[in-house]
Amino acid sequence: EALCHSNCTLQELYLGHNNIGPDGAQHLAEALCHSNCQLQTLHLDNNDIGPDGAKYLAEALCHSNCKLQELLLGNNNICDDGVKNLAEALCRSNCRLIILYVNNNNIGDAGAALFADMLRYD
């Protein structure tokens, strides 16, 4: 709720190593879609959000109110399924993200191919 409050001017949030999981990622994604949320940088390294958490965040990245420009998702076990959602979001014209870290996420050949396709599209 704090990120959605009209008085909140927070632009960077570091939540690494907090075990927020997919449910926490979903709550953060909902906040990112709120018109009052000013967050531009979100660090979620080592939170075990998995592919479901990546999906929630990808959906938020496509929302017209989302102002996020930098997203760090290292060590979250998002796998190829999570990459699919993120790559699709990055191709959308209203996605403002310019920096994405997905290191150490069990991304295989299929996930790498999805990002390669996204880069060709962009």
Side-chain angles (χ1 to χ4, degrees), residues 4-65:
C4 302
H5 194 277
S6 60
N7 291 333
C8 182
T9 58
L10 190 68
Q11 294 183 353
E12 295 184 26
L13 181 59
Y14 295 78
L15 287 174
H17 303 270
N18 277 294
N19 198 31
I20 66 166
D23 291 339
Q26 182 177 17
H27 292 297
L28 287 167
E30 290 169 359
L32 290 170
C33 295
H34 195 279
S35 60
N36 289 335
C37 183
Q38 301 300 312
L39 212 57
Q40 295 178 10
T41 301
L42 180 59
H43 289 242
L44 293 177
D45 294 3
N46 297 293
N47 273 295
D48 200 27
I49 67 167
D52 289 340
K55 178 184 175 197
Y56 300 133
L57 292 169
E59 290 170 354
L61 291 173
C62 298
H63 195 280
S64 60
N65 288 333

Side-chain angles (χ1 to χ4, degrees), residues 26-121:
Q26 182 177 17
H27 292 297
L28 287 167
E30 290 169 359
L32 290 170
C33 295
H34 195 279
S35 60
N36 289 335
C37 183
Q38 301 300 312
L39 212 57
Q40 295 178 10
T41 301
L42 180 59
H43 289 242
L44 293 177
D45 294 3
N46 297 293
N47 273 295
D48 200 27
I49 67 167
D52 289 340
K55 178 184 175 197
Y56 300 133
L57 292 169
E59 290 170 354
L61 291 173
C62 298
H63 195 280
S64 60
N65 288 333
C66 183
K67 298 165 186 72
L68 207 62
Q69 295 180 355
E70 183 174 351
L71 179 60
L72 282 77
L73 295 177
N75 297 305
N76 274 295
N77 200 32
I78 63 173
C79 306
D80 292 338
D81 290 340
V83 167
K84 178 181 182 292
N85 293 302
L86 290 169
E88 289 173 359
L90 293 170
C91 290
R92 302 261 173 97
S93 61
N94 54 340
C95 180
R96 299 178 188 176
L97 202 68
I98 54 175
I99 298 171
L100 175 65
Y101 286 84
V102 290
N103 55 301
N104 298 317
N105 271 295
N106 295 316
I107 298 169
D109 292 342
L114 289 165
F115 275 131
D117 288 344
M118 178 269 307
L119 291 171
R120 279 193 286 269
Y121 175 79

